[in-house]
Amino acid sequence: MKKFFKKIGKIFCGAFLIGALGFNSAQAADNSDAMNLFREAMTKSTDDSRIVHEDIYFVVPKMQSSLEIVAQLKQDSLKAAGEFGLWIVGDDGEFHPLEVPFYATLNAKDMNIYFELDKKWKKFSVPTLGAVATDIIATPNQQETESFMNDVKEVVLLRDTAKECTMLVKLDGNKIADEMKAEAEKNPADNGTADEKVFQDNLTNYIDAGLRNSEIWYTWTVNKENWNTVAMSLNLSGLVQQTALAALNDESQEWSEYAQNILETVAYYSETKAFTFFLGDDAAKRLEIPKKVLKAEQVNDLVESKK
């Protein structure tokens, strides 16, 4: 599944990386011209060390969540800060919030996450994931860039000026699913219990169905002077809905009433979107980890941290 997550991760970061957009065929440029412009932007964009701001939203009835990330990538190491938010509407009609600020550092040897729960800062370290995560966020090589471009089904040019262009990019879910399946066969899941293997196999099958039965697309604005990303909006609603629907329709599963209700809500009512833009150099102060945070209590797993 690493191949899939790497591709999605690259999209989230943009070139550092709605419904309907409301455009018609008269507004769209010739598809071949749009595809050529897309390929030019993909191949000419340079390494980007700007500070990126990412907002990811997941919304269902009675609940919404958001993940704000401010990050900077330099030489395959990452500094990040942000906040996870969860808001649930109770039977009393009031919002019940959970807000978790965090910092993160990542390089090929280590990954550290600092987060605050119940007014206490805690630190969670995952050295074994450092290399994997670094590979995901690393600048793609020529082969990876070409592979990604081959997964694009259609590009529509929405706006083109001397300085910027905005494109609607539709991905080919079947191609991505085929590549994910081939990658999984070459790199089988880590050894674990029989139950863990069944879970991983089922999850892979659900995502495979989600990819094949949904449309994945994003809008992308690039600066034509240096081909860097200006802004991006990624719509993953269809993928998340169809993945949940595949799980819901799995006749081999006996879901509890609670689990079935969750899957039905996600499959029929959820919206999942991400928005990317860039900040100025002054935003670097948000990435500085305060001394009190660096003194956070070490926890061995996220379950323990909730105690």
Side-chain angles (χ1 to χ4, degrees):
M1 289 170 58
K2 175 183 169 185
K3 185 86 167 182
F4 167 72
F5 288 116
K6 184 163 187 174
K7 288 178 178 295
I8 296 300
K10 295 294 185 185
I11 300 169
F12 270 133
C13 293
F16 165 80
L17 293 140
I18 258 190
L21 282 175
F23 62 90
N24 55 49
S25 58
Q27 294 172 295
D30 179 78
N31 185 259
S32 60
D33 291 340
M35 182 64 79
N36 289 337
L37 188 60
F38 169 79
R39 295 183 69 88
E40 186 173 11
M42 286 293 298
T43 55
K44 289 187 176 181
S45 61
T46 58
D47 290 349
D48 202 336
S49 61
R50 293 176 297 162
I51 300 174
V52 63
H53 188 286
E54 187 89 20
D55 289 307
I56 305 170
Y57 298 99
F58 175 75
V59 182
V60 294
K62 296 185 177 182
M63 189 205 81
Q64 62 187 54
S65 65
S66 69
L67 178 62
E68 181 215 19
I69 304 173
V70 177
Q72 186 173 34
L73 176 66
K74 286 186 176 181
Q75 297 179 343
D76 296 340
S77 65
L78 181 77
K79 288 183 177 181
E83 183 173 270
F84 170 76
L86 178 67
W87 298 267
I88 298 175
V89 180
D91 292 336
D92 57 3
E94 299 291 334
F95 271 107
H96 298 271
L98 171 66
E99 297 175 343
V100 182
F102 67 88
Y103 294 90
T105 60
L106 169 67
N107 56 48
K109 296 182 179 179
D110 206 359
M111 181 168 71
N112 296 304
I113 301 172
Y114 304 84
F115 58 97
E116 185 182 33
L117 278 178
D118 299 326
K119 299 183 179 180
K120 294 181 180 179
W121 281 96
K122 303 189 177 184
K123 177 183 178 181
F124 179 57
S125 301
V126 197
T128 56
L129 290 182
V132 175
T134 300
D135 183 46
I136 291 175
I137 66 172
T139 302
N141 58 37
Q142 182 177 352
Q143 182 179 357
E144 290 170 336
T145 299
E146 190 64 35
S147 174
F148 180 82
M149 290 189 294
N150 289 337
D151 290 336
V152 173
K153 179 167 58 175
E154 182 182 3
V155 179
V156 178
L157 187 60
L158 302 178
R159 179 174 176 269
D160 190 20
T161 69
K163 293 184 177 181
E164 295 182 352
C165 62
T166 299
M167 296 168 274
L168 172 70
V169 182
K170 297 181 181 180
L171 302 181
D172 191 325
N174 285 315
K175 282 187 177 180
I176 297 175
D178 288 341
E179 291 173 356
M180 185 184 78
K181 187 175 182 179
E183 190 71 16
E185 290 175 351
K186 288 192 301 182
N187 301 284
D190 295 337
N191 293 330
T193 67
D195 288 343
E196 288 172 339
K197 185 178 186 308
V198 169
F199 172 79
Q200 292 182 32
D201 289 345
N202 286 340
L203 180 59
T204 300
N205 291 335
Y206 300 153
I207 295 176
D208 182 273
L211 286 165
R212 297 184 189 280
N213 295 314
S214 64
E215 284 201 350
I216 308 170
W217 54 266
Y218 60 94
T219 52
W220 184 29
T221 298
V222 295
N223 183 324
K224 292 171 70 175
E225 294 179 355
N226 55 23
W227 299 104
N228 283 338
T229 295
V230 175
M232 175 175 283
S233 171
L234 171 66
N235 191 327
L236 287 172
S237 296
L239 173 60
V240 173
Q241 291 168 359
Q242 290 297 326
T243 299
L245 187 62
L248 185 65
N249 292 337
D250 185 352
E251 295 181 355
S252 69
Q253 298 289 344
E254 295 183 3
W255 301 111
S256 66
E257 182 178 354
Y258 177 74
Q260 184 167 323
N261 287 338
I262 290 178
L263 289 172
E264 288 178 351
T265 300
V266 175
Y268 302 135
Y269 297 104
S270 69
E271 293 290 333
T272 309
K273 295 182 179 179
F275 301 91
T276 305
F277 57 93
F278 292 84
L279 305 174
D281 293 339
D282 289 345
K285 59 181 178 289
R286 280 206 61 184
L287 302 176
E288 297 176 2
I289 304 177
K291 291 182 179 179
K292 68 175 183 179
V293 175
L294 292 173
K295 297 178 182 178
E297 173 193 358
Q298 182 81 42
V299 294
N300 296 323
D301 57 59
L302 295 178
V303 175
E304 175 187 337
S305 71
K306 297 177 182 178
K307 295 180 181 179

